[in-house]
Amino acid sequence: MSVFAHTDFSSHQQVVFCHDPASGLKAIIAIHDRTLGPACGGCRMWAYASEDEAIADALRLSQGMTYKNALAGNPLGGGKAVIWGDPAQDKTSALLRAFGKAVNRLGGRYITAEDVGMRVADMEIVRSQTRHVIGLNSSPAASGNPAPWTARGVAAGIRAALDYRFGSANPQGRTIAIQGLGQVGMALAAELHRQGARLVVADIDPRRLTQAQEQFAAQVVDSTEIHRHPADVFAPCALGGVVTAERTPHLGAAIIAGSANNQLATPEVAALLHQRGILYAPDYVINAGGVINAAGEARGQYDPSSVMRRVDAIGETLTRLFRRADHEHQPTDVIARAMAEDILTRARLENAA
């Protein structure tokens, strides 16, 4: 399928296919919009079933980053990179260096960072070939692993959603179902357990499940069934596309609020959630803590106290969004997109003046 004719192509400014036969690198870098600044978004490494699946992920994720940075108030545009390969088997130093060279050839139009299948240590290797990397441990303005900040923002968003739906932001005694116990999911589980929530968890790694049982007294359920479990909040924290039209009638939670990108399988799902009265915290709003943290590093002025205030303010942004959605009788995802597009339109007019 042509990129321009792809269903997920949305006025992307640049899509680059990168191949290095020596290292086996097959990567796609999608730059969606640079109105607010250089395109910024993580690099995901995944064993995609097909090239089209990899393209779709890059296109959707990069557009989400445009909206995420706009609504977070970051002077950054939206971009994303995906590497087609199994991170457990195909990731090598040579491949990471080749990816770094590909990023560098873009001359700063795209800034990369870690995402699924990548670690801070991997980004350090990428950094050996380009300065257009954030989320590091070694640079003068290093911000480190963004996962704890993403988890902090999701926790703030969950409190805002609980307050809006139930009249109290306190997670004490609330049942929260977390799908995915990676770096963000596990950090979120720890924070919610500390605040007194009852946790239901699912993950493909039995070691993580054992850890959650032992440390948080979590109830373990099957990954394919957790969306059905009765809960106050369903928090998707693994890969996207888990909230489908087929699953929507069977959702067991009153709120969907998690860290995964592209949680809705299709845009139409937002209307189905709205019809059912399920409060959805749009993923590119609630999971912005990591990129808020990294934005300071991108500017070369990292201030942890400022980052903390801005990440905690994610809850306030969501509350405004929920109120507007109710006032306009629209799905929250529709309103979030409208809010982001308003920011971009104003910036374009200012840039043209």
Side-chain angles (χ1 to χ4, degrees), residues 4-318:
F4 295 114
H6 200 286
T7 54
D8 292 304
F9 183 83
S10 180
S11 300
H12 284 71
Q13 295 176 351
Q14 189 172 11
V15 181
V16 181
F17 291 77
C18 315
H19 182 220
D20 178 60
S23 66
L25 174 73
K26 293 180 180 179
I28 302 166
I29 301 174
I31 295 175
H32 178 252
D33 191 288
R34 295 192 295 122
T35 299
L36 300 177
C40 181
C43 172
R44 171 172 296 186
M45 186 169 186
W46 193 253
Y48 294 102
S50 66
E51 180 179 322
D52 185 67
E53 187 178 295
I55 293 170
D57 214 22
L59 293 176
R60 291 192 69 189
L61 290 168
S62 58
Q63 183 180 29
M65 287 305 306
T66 295
Y67 293 160
K68 184 183 299 188
N69 280 313
L71 290 167
N74 289 333
L76 298 168
K80 204 77 175 186
V82 301
I83 297 176
W84 188 4
D86 184 343
Q89 299 181 20
D90 303 325
K91 189 196 302 178
T92 64
S93 294
L95 180 144
L96 294 170
R97 288 194 296 271
F99 174 67
K101 291 176 182 177
V103 171
N104 200 55
R105 285 194 291 270
L106 291 171
R109 292 193 295 277
Y110 168 66
I111 300 171
T112 195
E114 69 166 283
D115 201 304
V116 174
M118 303 291 274
R119 301 277 181 168
V120 173
D122 300 326
M123 290 296 106
E124 298 284 356
I125 296 173
V126 173
R127 178 67 173 81
S128 70
Q129 305 299 316
T130 181
R131 63 185 179 87
H132 306 299
V133 185
I134 54 177
L136 302 171
N137 288 329
S138 61
S139 70
S143 62
N145 186 353
W149 292 102
T150 302
R152 184 184 181 101
V154 173
I158 287 175
R159 290 192 297 271
L162 287 171
D163 189 38
Y164 196 80
R165 173 49 55 90
F166 300 117
S168 172
N170 190 355
Q172 177 79 36
R174 294 292 180 184
T175 299
I176 300 178
I178 302 177
Q179 182 187 45
L181 294 171
Q183 294 186 77
V184 175
M186 193 66 80
L188 177 63
E191 176 64 15
L192 293 172
H193 173 70
R194 186 186 66 79
Q195 296 180 22
R198 294 190 297 263
L199 300 182
V200 177
V201 299
D203 195 273
I204 59 175
D205 188 338
R207 294 171 298 179
R208 295 172 183 168
L209 295 174
T210 299
Q211 180 183 345
Q213 285 178 305
E214 294 177 349
Q215 295 184 5
F216 314 132
Q219 177 184 351
V220 172
V221 299
D222 189 271
S223 291
T224 61
E225 295 294 323
I226 190 169
H227 66 283
R228 295 175 177 265
H229 198 282
D232 297 297
V233 180
F234 172 43
C237 294
L239 294 178
V242 298
V243 186
T244 64
E246 294 74 21
R247 286 179 174 174
T248 298
H250 309 293
L251 291 170
I255 296 167
I256 299 177
S259 68
N261 289 311
N262 295 333
Q263 293 168 31
L264 307 187
T266 62
E268 292 73 24
V269 176
L272 298 177
L273 295 175
H274 180 66
Q275 291 168 12
R276 279 205 59 196
I278 296 174
L279 183 63
Y280 170 57
D283 44 48
Y284 47 85
V285 182
I286 195 172
N287 69 10
V291 75
I292 290 172
N293 176 63
E297 183 176 339
R299 294 192 300 268
Q301 300 174 336
Y302 183 68
D303 179 1
S305 60
S306 174
V307 168
M308 186 178 299
R309 289 192 297 272
R310 294 184 60 216
V311 170
D312 290 344
I314 286 174
E316 299 169 16
T317 300
L318 282 169

Side-chain angles (χ1 to χ4, degrees), residues 323-330 335:
R323 288 173 178 165
R324 178 172 165 180
D326 273 351
H327 179 72
E328 299 184 17
H329 307 289
Q330 292 285 344
I335 296 301

